[in-house]
Amino acid sequence: MKKFLMGTVGLVALSLSAPASAADMRARPYTKAPPPIVAPIYNWGGLYIGANGGYGWSRNCWDFVSLAGVPFTGGQGCHDADGAVAGGQIGYRWQSNQFVFGLEAQGNWADLEGGSASTPTLAGVVDTNSRVQAFGLFTGQVGYAWNNVLLYAKGGAAVVDSRHFHTLAGTNVLFNSTDNTRWGATVGVGLEVGFAPNWSVGVAYDHLFIGRDTLSFAASPIGVATTNSINQDVDLVTARINYRWGGPPVARY
């Protein structure tokens, strides 16, 4: 009987101590989830200004229309004019996800010069010469960006300032000449790499469709006036550097 009473007392004491022990157990602390990892991506949007330089070549094909006011037809052949170009550009770009859209104006000094003997018309009498002195491009751009690498296509209007002239065959003696500004179209592609938040470098290729036009040549003191039909195209390869004023970096999760 005594053992039974002692066992009963022990069970009661154990049952009374259990709630107290449970109360003494503290709740597990709440741990806040770590913030998501934000991967910054290069932002191509904003206003930019830059400089460029490179090499260009122009294809010029000549035909006579008149000589000293008298109709006179005949081909004079084609020649290339090549040399250095240097200038600047200003533009604005918008970025939507990985797609980039832009507008740009570019102006360059140029020294693309070349010539050849006039053949077959007046062969041995005069040589034909061409010099591209400056050009401007006004283009729209559509591109795709892989973070700080941008590949884009562009197209729009082009304007070229040229000088065409005849010289006496085998000499530099001027026979007649014309200075002209002609409008045409341009298409091109470019690749640009951002190497700092606001700086990028790249390379671009442009083809200018200037087309055919009929030009009047003024006579020199020892020459005569002529009218010539000249078809002209220009190709350009330039290296570029840009500084951009844009918004904050874009984040992608």
Side-chain angles (χ1 to χ4, degrees):
M1 185 68 177
K2 184 178 179 180
K3 292 182 178 180
F4 175 76
L5 291 174
M6 291 180 66
T8 302
V9 171
L11 289 174
V12 172
L14 181 61
S15 64
L16 292 174
S17 65
S21 299
D24 290 339
M25 295 176 63
R26 296 185 177 181
R28 296 178 60 185
Y30 172 75
T31 303
K32 187 177 181 180
I37 298 176
V38 179
I41 63 171
Y42 197 84
N43 179 14
W44 289 97
L47 175 71
Y48 64 91
I49 188 169
N52 72 80
Y55 181 80
W57 59 99
S58 172
R59 184 70 171 169
N60 303 269
C61 295
W62 295 44
D63 292 293
F64 266 120
V65 175
S66 69
L67 177 65
V70 178
F72 183 81
T73 60
Q76 292 185 271
C78 301
H79 62 259
D80 292 326
D82 61 346
V85 301
Q89 63 273 349
I90 184 171
Y92 195 93
R93 287 175 174 146
W94 299 263
Q95 183 169 357
S96 177
N97 295 321
Q98 290 178 286
F99 292 95
V100 179
F101 309 91
L103 296 172
E104 182 181 279
Q106 175 179 336
N108 279 59
W109 162 88
D111 186 23
L112 315 185
E113 186 170 3
S116 65
S118 178
T119 176
T121 305
L122 295 188
V125 179
V126 294
D127 296 336
T128 59
N129 305 271
S130 299
R131 180 187 300 131
V132 175
Q133 304 173 127
F135 63 86
L137 307 178
F138 305 91
T139 56
Q141 301 177 356
V142 178
Y144 190 86
W146 292 269
N147 198 16
N148 67 323
V149 178
L150 174 64
L151 178 65
Y152 61 90
K154 59 180 178 175
V159 58
V160 173
D161 177 53
S162 300
R163 177 175 173 82
H164 301 286
F165 54 102
H166 287 105
T167 54
L168 294 179
T171 74
N172 291 322
V173 178
L174 185 65
F175 187 78
N176 59 24
S177 64
T178 181
D179 292 286
N180 59 92
T181 300
R182 300 165 64 187
W183 285 86
T186 180
V187 295
V189 294
L191 178 67
E192 209 161 318
V193 178
F195 64 91
N198 298 92
W199 289 93
S200 62
V201 294
V203 62
Y205 165 76
D206 299 278
H207 181 78
L208 283 57
F209 302 89
I210 304 305
R212 182 171 290 277
D213 199 5
T214 300
L215 307 174
S216 297
F217 286 64
S220 73
I222 63 168
V224 297
T226 64
T227 303
N228 293 76
S229 174
I230 300 177
N231 186 72
Q232 184 181 42
D233 289 327
V234 182
D235 292 278
L236 306 165
V237 176
T238 53
R240 300 154 52 97
I241 185 167
N242 288 325
Y243 181 83
R244 178 182 49 81
W245 294 268
V250 180
R252 179 175 58 187
Y253 295 91

